[in-house]
């Protein structure tokens, strides 16, 4: 296990380097100039070029990349162009809100998809199955930003049940207030994953019900309930670990949209504001953090799959 983990981590290093290379050059080649944020009408050309040099933008792109990699290897993420704070400080302040939101959304997706998948498979081609299927199709196809605005309109503007923006109400520090703010962002993030996982579990359950071991268990007098929960459901949920690892990117990318709409103070909101402000150090830090999270998520899912199912060899 340890050897496999080390090998996977070593294999991930070239991938992360490739991602950093592509991201760095795409960001630098995108239209826009971060120096314009600092330009005033009174500045001379020499002062503008001095500002560019202070930001490290006067050198060729490949030289900038070399210096960026060198600083990253030393643990220095640089300083934000906009607020002059260390990037590591900004990331650390936004990391926990994003991880908390993603964790709650993932937990909701797992619980709901299992329950809905079981109900859909047991009542195959009946009203409940058709209803759940329609809900899942909507969840797969509906844009996240549109769904978020619908929730805000209904629950915040019309019913006035939930707050529409932020992570806490000013002056309120209770857990209940935090939960109220997190309900709608969690729903928006979890809905697409729940829809995908529900459809997958339904298909897996229906396929497992047709396997020969089910007929053998019935012939031995084992109850239908015991067969379903002890064998069919267990075998159907094993591949779900891999599916969760594959769906982790959708949570990371969805956080950018969701956090921006709901004003959630996480890395997604920070990333969007950094993109609009051409804050290169922050953009690259968030890109690499997201990439590392995806690599680790896939590695953990593979390890968990092998632990749950001893037949799988790493």
């Amino acid at each position: 296990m340890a050897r496999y983990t080390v090998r996977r981590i070593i294999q991930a290093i070239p991938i992360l380097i490739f991602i950093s290379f592509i991201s760095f050059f795409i960001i630098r080649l995108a239209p826009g100039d971060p120096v314009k944020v600092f330009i005033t009408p009174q500045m001379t050309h020499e002062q503008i070029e001095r500002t560019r040099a202070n930001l490290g933008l006067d050198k060729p792109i490949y030289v900038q990349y070399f210096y960026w990699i060198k600083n990253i290897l030393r643990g220095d993420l640089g300083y934000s162009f906009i607020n002059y704070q260390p990037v590591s400080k900004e990331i650390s302040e936004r990391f926990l809100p994003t991880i908390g939101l993603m964790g709650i959304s993932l937990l909701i997706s797992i619980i709901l998809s299992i329950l809905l998948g079981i109900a859909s498979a047991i009542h195959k081609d009946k009203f409940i199955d058709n209803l759940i299927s329609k809900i899942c199709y909507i969840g797969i196809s509906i844009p996240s930003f549109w769904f978020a605005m619908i929730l805000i309109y209904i629950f915040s503007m019309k019913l006035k049940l939930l707050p529409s923006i932020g992570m806490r109400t000013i002056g309120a520090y209770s857990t209940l207030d935090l939960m109220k703010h997190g309900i709608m962002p969690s729903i928006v993030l979890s809905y697409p994953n729940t829809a995908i996982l529900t459809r997958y579990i339904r298909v897996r359950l229906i396929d497992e019900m047709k396997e020969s071991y089910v007929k053998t268990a019935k012939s031995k007098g084992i109850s239908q309930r015991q067969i379903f929960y002890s064998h069919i459901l267990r075998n159907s949920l094993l591949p779900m670990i891999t599916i969760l690892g594959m769906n982790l990117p959708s949570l990371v990318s969805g956080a950018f949209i969701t956090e921006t709409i709901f004003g959630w103070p996480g890395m997604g909101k920070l990333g969007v504001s950094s993109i609009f402000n051409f804050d290169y150090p922050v953009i690259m830090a968030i890109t690499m953090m997201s990439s590392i999270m995806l690599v680790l998520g896939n590695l953990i899912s593979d390890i968990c799959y092998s632990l749950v199912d001893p037949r799988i060899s790493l």
Side-chain angles (χ1 to χ4, degrees):
M1 179 68 71
R3 184 181 299 176
Y4 171 79
T5 304
V6 172
R7 188 170 71 247
R8 283 291 300 273
I9 293 174
I10 294 174
Q11 291 173 352
I13 293 176
I15 298 175
L16 293 174
I17 293 176
F18 178 75
I19 292 173
S20 69
F21 180 82
I22 296 297
S23 301
F24 192 93
F25 276 80
I26 288 178
I27 292 170
R28 290 299 196 276
L29 295 175
D33 187 359
V35 179
K36 291 182 178 179
V37 178
F38 304 92
I39 295 177
T40 62
Q42 293 77 26
M43 292 179 67
T44 63
H45 178 73
E46 290 74 15
Q47 291 173 327
I48 294 174
E49 291 304 316
R50 193 181 303 121
T51 302
R52 190 182 304 277
N54 291 335
L55 295 176
L57 301 175
D58 59 328
K59 301 176 180 64
I61 295 180
Y62 63 90
V63 176
Q64 295 180 37
Y65 178 76
F66 173 77
Y67 281 116
W68 179 79
I69 284 289
K70 182 180 177 181
N71 291 331
I72 288 294
L73 294 177
R74 294 187 304 178
D76 182 12
L77 299 179
Y79 285 80
S80 168
F81 288 169
I82 305 303
N83 52 26
Y84 314 108
Q85 294 291 325
V87 175
S88 56
K89 180 182 178 181
E90 292 204 3
I91 294 294
S92 62
E93 291 174 351
R94 306 294 187 104
F95 185 72
L96 287 180
T98 295
I99 290 298
L101 185 61
M102 290 174 58
I104 293 297
S105 302
L106 192 60
L107 182 62
I108 293 173
S109 297
I110 293 173
I111 295 174
L112 286 182
S113 60
I114 292 175
L115 296 176
L116 294 175
I118 292 173
S120 185
I122 292 177
H123 301 90
K124 180 186 175 184
D125 296 330
K126 295 181 181 179
F127 173 77
I128 294 178
D129 182 27
N130 294 330
L131 178 61
I132 293 175
S133 296
K134 287 181 174 60
I135 294 173
C136 290
Y137 290 142
I138 294 173
I140 295 172
S141 58
I142 188 173
S144 297
F145 70 90
W146 188 84
F147 183 48
M149 289 188 290
I150 291 296
L151 291 182
I152 291 174
Y153 178 77
I154 295 175
F155 293 101
S156 295
M157 298 179 64
K158 290 297 182 181
L159 301 179
K160 301 186 184 302
L161 295 176
L162 299 172
S164 61
I165 194 169
M167 192 171 72
R168 290 186 183 276
T169 304
I170 298 176
Y173 301 97
S174 64
T175 304
L176 180 61
D177 181 69
L178 177 62
M179 292 174 61
K180 285 183 177 180
H181 281 82
I183 289 176
M184 287 196 291
S186 300
I187 292 174
V188 173
L189 269 181
S190 62
Y191 189 16
N193 276 329
T194 302
I196 294 172
L197 291 174
T198 299
R199 296 298 300 170
Y200 181 81
I201 292 173
R202 175 188 180 276
V203 173
R204 288 288 304 177
L205 286 172
I206 292 173
D207 289 341
E208 286 293 325
M209 290 177 185
K210 300 176 183 177
E211 293 293 331
S212 57
Y213 73 84
V214 177
K215 298 178 182 178
T216 303
K218 288 180 179 178
S219 66
K220 292 181 178 180
I222 302 176
S223 65
Q224 183 73 25
R225 186 183 186 88
Q226 186 177 354
I227 294 172
F228 184 84
Y229 289 103
S230 300
H231 301 283
I232 296 176
L233 182 60
R234 182 179 179 182
N235 292 334
S236 300
L237 294 183
L238 284 177
M240 186 177 174
I241 299 174
T242 304
I243 299 298
L244 287 173
M246 293 171 60
N247 284 342
L248 191 58
S250 63
L251 279 176
V252 176
S253 60
F256 278 73
I257 300 173
T258 305
E259 289 183 1
T260 301
I261 294 176
F262 289 102
W264 190 264
M267 291 200 304
K269 186 174 183 295
L270 176 64
V272 172
S273 63
S274 301
I275 291 172
F276 282 109
N277 292 320
F278 302 102
D279 198 346
Y280 294 158
V282 177
I283 296 173
M284 285 303 303
I286 293 177
T287 300
M288 297 313 300
M289 284 287 294
S290 301
S291 302
I292 292 172
M293 288 171 59
L294 299 182
V295 171
L296 289 178
N298 287 320
L299 174 61
I300 292 172
S301 67
D302 289 344
I303 294 175
C304 290
Y305 193 87
S306 65
L307 293 175
V308 173
D309 190 351
R311 298 172 300 175
I312 303 298
S313 174
L314 291 177

